[in-house]
Amino acid sequence: MTGRTSMAATAAPAAVATPTACYLGVAIPARLADEGARVALVLLALAREHSASLGGLLVAALMVPHVVAAPVAGALADWVRHRKLFHGLGLAAYGTGLAATAWALGRLPTPLVLLLVLAAGCCAPLVTGGLTSLLAELLPERALTRAFSIDSTTYNLAGILGPALAAILATTIGPGAALFALGTAALIGACAVTLLRLPVRPPTKGRTTDALRPAVLAAGAREILSNPPLRSVTWASSIGQIGIGALPVITALLATERHAGWAAGGLMTAFAVGAMAGSLTYAVKPWTRTRPERVVLLCLPLIALPLALAACVAGMALTTALFATAGWATGPLFSTLLAARERYAPQPLRTQIFTLGAGLKSTAAAAGAAGIGALGALGAAPLLGMAAAAQIVAAGLGVVLLTHSPRNARRASGRPDGSVGDGTCQEPTASGERASTRARRH
C-alpha cells in the first residue's frame, strides 16, 4: 500500500507538469511575438518609409484591438465547442498578419497595411488573456495558484526578450525579416495548441453567431462591474498599470538627466527581472489560495514605496535596486490577479473576463505612457512620484470597490464567506435569458 501511495504521489506532479509544459510551448513563442512586434513595426517603418509616426500608427493598430476586440474574442472563445481549433486558428491568424505585414509595408498602400495590422491585432486578446483562461481547463484546481505564477513569468520573459530579440534580428537580418520571424514564432505557438488536452464542449443551443449578440458581448463587462472581487482587482490593477506603463518614458528621462545612457533600458530590465523573480517566488510559496484579491491590493503599495524612494535618491546603483524591488512586487500581484479572475469569473464567461481584463490593462499602460510623455517637462523625479502615487490611488480604489457591496460579493461567489467553490453561475443564452450552469472544476 505504501508503494502504491508513493507511486501515485510521484505520478501526480508529472501529470500536472506535462500540460503545463505544453501550455508554455504555446504561450512563450506567441507572447514573444506580441512583445517583439511592437519594436519590429517601428523599426520597419523607419527603414522602409523613414517615418516614426507611421511606426506609432502601426503599433497603435496592433494594440487598440486588445481592448476593443476583447469582448468579441472572449465571447466566441467561451461559446465555441472546439476551443483547440479556435485558439489555434486565432494564433495562426495573428502570426500570419505579422508575417504578411513584413512583406506588405512599402509595397501596398499604407491604409491597407494598417488594416492588415488591425486585423492581426483583433486576434491579440487570444495571445494574452485568452491563453491564460485555458489553464483552468488544463490543470486541476489545486495546481492553479502555481500555474498562474508560472504563466505570469511568460509575460515577464516576453517583456524582457521580445523587444531585445526584435532589435537584434532587425540589426542582423533586417527589420522585415525580424517581423517575419516573429510572425513565425506565433505560428509555432499555434501549432503547439494541438498538444493541449482541451475537451470538446457539449453542443450549445443556437448558432455560434449568437455569441455576437449584444447581451452576450456585454455579459463579461456586466460581471466585472457587479462582482465586487472582480471589479476591485480589475480596476485597481488597471489604474496601477497607468503608472507602470509610464515607466519606459520616465526611465528615458532619468537616463538623460543623470547622464547614464544605459539606464533607459537597464532600469526597465531590472524591473522586468524583479517581476520574474517575484512570480517565481510566489509560485514556490503562495501567500494565499483563497483570497487572491487581498494580495493584489497589498502589492500595490509595495510597488509604490520603492518607486517613490527612487525619485529621491541620486545613485544609479540604488535606483536600479529600487526598480528591481518594485518589479518584484508586481510578480505576486499579477499571479494573484490571474487567480482572482479564474476564481470569481463564472465559467461560461471566463475567457471573456480574462480578455477584457487584459485589454483594460494594456489600454491603461498606453494611456500612462501618453500622459507622462505630455508632462515630460516636469522632470523624471516628479513623474516617478506620480507613477508611485498611481499605485496608492489604485489600492484605495480597490479597497472601496471590494467592500462597497459585500452582499453582492456573497451572492456572486455562492458562499456566505465570499469565497468561490463549485457554485452555480449564470450563462447568457442565445435568447438573452440566463440559464443556470454548474461551474466545472477539476
Side-chain angles (χ1 to χ4, degrees):
M1 180 68 73
T2 304
R4 247 181 234 178
T5 304
S6 176
M7 289 176 64
T10 305
V16 171
T18 300
T20 302
C22 292
Y23 174 83
L24 292 176
V26 178
I28 290 175
R31 288 171 181 162
L32 278 173
D34 189 43
E35 291 288 343
R38 305 169 198 178
V39 174
L41 284 169
V42 175
L43 295 177
L44 185 62
L46 287 171
R48 291 191 184 169
E49 300 292 337
H50 308 287
S51 173
S53 61
L54 176 58
L57 283 175
L58 291 170
V59 173
L62 189 70
M63 294 295 295
V64 167
H66 275 69
V67 66
V68 176
V72 176
L76 287 173
D78 284 325
W79 193 273
V80 298
R81 295 183 61 200
H82 300 276
R83 285 163 296 165
K84 186 184 296 187
L85 178 62
F86 178 78
H87 283 270
L89 289 176
L91 294 185
Y94 183 72
T96 302
L98 294 181
T101 302
W103 173 85
L105 187 62
R107 293 183 174 91
L108 296 181
T110 298
L112 289 181
V113 177
L114 288 170
L115 285 176
L116 182 61
V117 177
L118 194 65
C122 288
C123 302
L126 296 178
V127 177
T128 54
L131 283 180
T132 300
S133 69
L134 297 178
L135 284 170
E137 305 289 338
L138 296 169
L139 296 169
E141 186 175 6
R142 68 181 182 277
L144 286 179
T145 298
R146 181 168 296 175
F148 285 129
S149 296
I150 294 173
D151 187 48
S152 68
T153 66
T154 67
Y155 289 93
N156 299 326
L157 186 67
I160 297 170
L161 297 182
L165 181 63
I168 291 170
L169 290 176
T171 302
T172 55
I173 61 177
L179 186 60
F180 185 87
L182 292 170
T184 303
L187 288 171
I188 291 172
C191 294
V193 171
T194 60
L195 302 176
L196 300 180
R197 297 178 180 176
L198 291 172
V200 177
R201 287 173 173 154
T204 56
K205 295 181 180 179
R207 300 164 299 176
T208 303
T209 52
D210 290 335
L212 302 179
R213 291 170 61 91
V216 178
L217 293 177
R222 284 199 304 268
E223 188 67 25
I224 288 175
L225 291 173
S226 63
N227 184 321
L230 273 179
R231 181 176 59 196
S232 173
V233 298
T234 299
W235 293 112
S237 62
S238 297
I239 297 299
Q241 195 65 21
I242 293 175
I244 303 302
L247 290 183
V249 179
I250 295 173
T251 55
L253 289 172
L254 198 63
T256 301
E257 291 177 4
R258 299 188 183 181
H259 306 289
W262 61 269
L267 290 176
M268 288 310 302
T269 299
F271 187 90
V273 170
M276 181 177 292
S279 296
L280 292 174
T281 302
Y282 193 80
V284 174
K285 187 66 175 178
W287 301 350
T288 179
R289 295 181 184 273
T290 57
R291 300 304 295 268
E293 69 276 15
R294 293 181 178 177
V295 179
V296 172
L297 300 182
L298 173 64
C299 286
L300 287 165
L302 294 181
I303 298 170
L305 180 59
L307 289 181
L309 290 174
C312 304
V313 302
M316 289 306 298
L318 182 55
T319 300
T320 303
L322 289 169
F323 265 76
T325 303
W328 184 92
T330 67
L333 184 152
F334 192 39
S335 300
T336 51
L337 172 63
L338 300 179
R341 288 175 186 164
E342 191 281 327
R343 185 170 182 82
Y344 296 110
Q347 192 273 337
L349 302 175
R350 180 186 291 140
T351 308
Q352 193 176 155
I353 286 171
F354 267 91
T355 54
L356 272 171
L360 287 170
K361 282 192 67 184
S362 296
T363 303
I372 290 296
L375 299 173
L378 295 177
L383 296 180
L384 200 52
M386 290 182 188
Q391 313 309 309
I392 302 299
V393 171
L397 177 64
V399 170
V400 170
L401 294 177
L402 182 64
T403 59
H404 180 62
S405 304
R407 184 175 301 175
N408 288 343
R410 290 194 294 269
R411 185 184 302 123
S413 67
R415 287 187 181 180
D417 64 354
S419 62
V420 175
D422 293 334
T424 59
C425 58
Q426 299 298 314
E427 177 181 10
T429 62
S431 63
E433 299 173 352
R434 301 183 68 85
S436 179
T437 303
R438 176 69 59 179
R440 185 171 71 83
R441 298 278 184 187
H442 295 267

